[in-house]
Amino acid sequence: MTVEPPDSRGLREIAIGGTTVGSAWSLRDLRKVLSRLGYPRDMDVEDRATVHWRAADSGTWPDRAWRRRATTTLMMAGLLGSMTLLIVVGSPDAVGALTFAGRLTGILLILLGGVEGVAALAVLDHCGKRQVTFSGAVVLIGVLIASAFNSLLLFLWLQEREYTPYLLAYFPLWCWSLWALWRVIRDKAWRGTPHPKRFAAGVAATTLLAGVNFAYSAIYQPTSSPVLFKLKAEFGVPRIDPELDIIHLPLTLQVENTGKVPAYIISDNYSVYGLRGDFSDGTEGLRERRRVMENGHDVALFTGIPEKYTISAGLFYGPGAWLEPGEEYSEKKLVQLPRSAGYDAIQADLTVELMRKDRGKVDVEEFIVPHSSWRKNEGVYCPPGRCEEYVAYRAGLRHNNNIINVTRRPVYVTSLWGVTPVESHCAAFISSSPNFVPATLRDAIRAQNENKRERERYGVGAVDAQAIVSFAEVLTSVTS
């Protein structure tokens, strides 16, 4: 029997007749191996006729068991932590992503998590007596996956540097991955692997595939197809109530998704105005030139900028609704006004704010519930003397790629709709604060303009339509 000299880790191989039959960390471990081979536990290991100690005697056992066990525990803990993180991040996309590429990315992360679990088990052999040929290669793959994934999360987090509880997971795991990578490279964990170049190429190809899937689902696909919506506002044939001398003017509002991307409606509003201008004989030339140039209105010779008087206003489809490609929604309204109203024209405005459904997911059940700013128990209370009155719709918002969610703080989408004595307004904004309560709708619109970055990230945009008919034409229709 021959006991080989200790290797770099302190493990000594045991050979009988030139064939390796085991290995030992200590003299006690050696006696266990001999006992399994049928030797008596009390045999004399110092008998040179029975045991040949090569290059080191029976007292040379450089292994430090506590250090080896600590390394094994730390390596397994990091791989199991990375496995958990991969599964937690991938599961929402695997079962709930709206795009095929998003689901594929989620499934890939779960599979990589499974590889991490296998690698954690392989640590027991690789940091032990290495009886399985491929255990080092499996550990190496696990460490490379953990290093790449946690580096990706940390890189994305550094772009915004927003606090998220997940940072407490992937930052320590990233630090661990640096140590683990140094460890497996130092130990040359790939030794014993047949065709190491093919093995390295396979690992690189898998990493590249994961990166391509992420880039496609998170960056390319949500921007390659534009959101196309068509809005229409159209007045119908007016009728008059002869008893009350009231004109009934039908109004049809319609929205249609003409593109290939589904989208949420996060805010909408329609308003019907009566327009009344100030007429003159035109001797002063074009009217209100400075005001026209500042506000972009049409300039006219005989009339100034007309004043608007709100006749009716309201929500159209409402926050939380969505339209799939090819789907449309229409609604008929009835505008009522007296024959003697004396307007120059009747104008209808329709505004709809949209958010791409392939970039974010809104909690619709929460979003469709209105909260009144004048009620103290509804979370958006603002004293009526200090704030305008409005109705708020609010819900949590998740990016369609969960990797983005775990590297950003939680965000919320808020939609406000309100009516003042003279007009109605709507505004929608995305904020990291769930308790932001604007004093006025103007403040909400200002917040809307200030968070352009979030609006671009989630693909938020607005479309509008307008219809106008002269009041003289309305009177002619009801009298003819």
Side-chain angles (χ1 to χ4, degrees):
M1 178 190 305
T2 301
V3 180
E4 301 291 343
D7 64 11
S8 60
R9 300 182 300 141
L11 186 66
R12 304 186 70 168
E13 288 189 354
I14 305 165
I16 298 178
T19 303
T20 300
V21 294
S23 55
W25 296 107
S26 63
L27 187 58
R28 182 181 178 183
D29 198 17
L30 172 63
R31 292 189 180 278
K32 289 181 180 179
V33 174
L34 295 178
S35 179
R36 287 198 300 269
L37 293 173
Y39 291 89
R41 292 186 65 90
D42 59 350
M43 72 172 290
D44 184 8
V45 296
E46 299 293 342
D47 184 0
R48 292 183 178 276
T50 306
V51 181
H52 172 59
W53 298 88
R54 181 174 295 176
D57 60 18
S58 61
T60 305
W61 300 96
D63 171 55
R64 298 294 180 265
W66 65 270
R67 182 182 299 173
R68 171 167 46 85
R69 290 167 185 162
T71 300
T72 302
T73 301
L74 184 58
M75 188 71 76
M76 289 187 68
L79 289 169
L80 291 174
S82 296
M83 176 193 74
T84 303
L85 186 61
L86 280 160
I87 294 175
V88 168
V89 174
S91 296
D93 287 345
V95 298
L98 296 176
T99 63
F100 173 75
R103 289 191 294 272
L104 185 62
T105 300
I107 292 171
L108 179 61
L109 292 180
I110 292 175
L111 292 177
L112 292 177
V115 173
E116 295 292 89
V118 174
L121 294 177
V123 168
L124 294 173
D125 180 76
H126 179 67
C127 291
K129 296 184 177 181
R130 299 185 178 175
Q131 297 174 335
V132 180
T133 305
F134 294 97
S135 62
V138 174
V139 173
L140 175 60
I141 292 174
V143 170
L144 289 174
I145 291 172
S147 177
F149 183 63
N150 290 297
S151 296
L152 171 64
L153 295 180
L154 188 61
F155 172 75
L156 294 174
W157 177 82
L158 287 171
Q159 292 181 347
E160 301 291 339
R161 299 181 184 179
E162 300 172 346
Y163 173 74
T164 168
Y166 288 96
L167 180 64
L168 302 178
Y170 53 77
F171 180 71
L173 285 173
W174 177 77
C175 295
W176 165 88
S177 70
L178 296 180
W179 168 82
L181 196 59
W182 165 79
R183 186 82 192 188
V184 295
I185 291 175
R186 191 196 71 170
D187 293 346
K188 297 182 179 179
W190 58 86
R191 284 188 302 186
T193 303
H195 311 294
K197 291 184 178 180
R198 294 182 182 178
F199 168 75
V203 172
T206 302
T207 304
L208 180 62
L209 177 62
V212 170
N213 272 322
F214 169 73
Y216 180 78
S217 61
I219 301 172
Y220 173 73
Q221 191 177 43
T223 56
S224 60
S225 299
V227 176
L228 299 176
F229 269 68
K230 182 172 69 174
L231 265 64
K232 183 173 73 172
E234 185 176 41
F235 288 112
V237 179
R239 295 288 184 265
I240 191 165
D241 184 335
E243 295 183 2
L244 300 177
D245 206 28
I246 297 295
I247 296 173
H248 300 279
L249 179 60
L251 172 64
T252 300
L253 305 174
Q254 181 179 334
V255 58
E256 180 183 2
N257 186 346
T258 59
K260 298 180 180 180
V261 179
Y264 291 105
I265 293 178
I266 59 173
S267 177
D268 65 31
N269 177 71
Y270 86 91
S271 298
V272 180
Y273 303 100
L275 305 181
R276 186 179 294 141
D278 179 23
F279 287 86
S280 68
D281 57 9
T283 56
E284 297 179 359
L286 297 175
R287 303 281 303 279
E288 302 184 63
R289 294 181 294 276
R290 291 181 178 177
R291 188 179 171 193
V292 165
M293 288 186 287
E294 289 176 346
N295 299 304
H297 292 290
D298 295 333
V299 64
L301 180 62
F302 299 103
T303 61
I305 298 174
E307 297 295 331
K308 285 185 176 181
Y309 302 89
T310 303
I311 300 173
S312 64
L315 292 173
F316 172 45
Y317 205 174
W322 72 84
L323 291 173
E324 298 292 335
E327 189 177 1
E328 67 176 51
Y329 174 79
S330 63
E331 193 171 310
K332 293 185 180 296
K333 305 288 184 180
L334 186 63
V335 182
Q336 297 176 302
L337 66 162
R339 185 204 292 260
S340 59
Y343 297 121
D344 302 327
I346 308 297
Q347 177 180 309
D349 291 343
L350 174 61
T351 300
V352 175
E353 278 202 271
L354 307 162
M355 189 189 81
R356 298 177 66 110
K357 205 177 175 189
D358 61 347
R359 287 203 198 175
K361 184 176 182 180
V362 178
D363 185 344
V364 174
E365 292 186 1
E366 181 183 1
F367 197 44
I368 61 176
V369 179
H371 303 277
S372 305
S373 65
W374 58 88
R375 299 187 187 278
K376 294 184 178 181
N377 61 343
E378 297 203 7
V380 294
Y381 175 72
C382 194
R386 183 170 65 87
C387 300
E388 293 180 358
E389 295 180 346
Y390 52 79
V391 174
Y393 302 82
R394 179 176 293 167
L397 174 61
R398 294 177 58 85
H399 197 280
N400 195 42
N401 191 304
N402 202 39
I403 292 177
I404 301 298
N405 294 321
V406 301
T407 57
R408 303 287 186 269
R409 58 188 173 185
V411 294
Y412 305 85
V413 57
T414 301
S415 174
L416 303 181
W417 185 76
V419 181
T420 69
V422 295
E423 59 183 346
S424 68
H425 289 289
C426 69
F429 54 90
I430 297 171
S431 171
S432 59
S433 172
N435 301 314
F436 173 67
V437 179
T440 67
L441 287 165
R442 298 292 183 187
D443 292 340
I445 294 173
R446 192 177 303 112
Q448 180 186 57
N449 294 331
E450 289 174 354
N451 67 352
K452 290 182 179 179
R453 189 169 187 175
E454 293 291 347
R455 291 171 65 85
E456 291 175 358
R457 175 179 296 163
Y458 290 95
V460 176
V463 288
D464 51 58
Q466 186 181 89
I468 189 168
V469 61
S470 72
F471 195 59
E473 181 180 348
V474 172
L475 293 176
T476 301
S477 298
V478 298
T479 57
S480 59

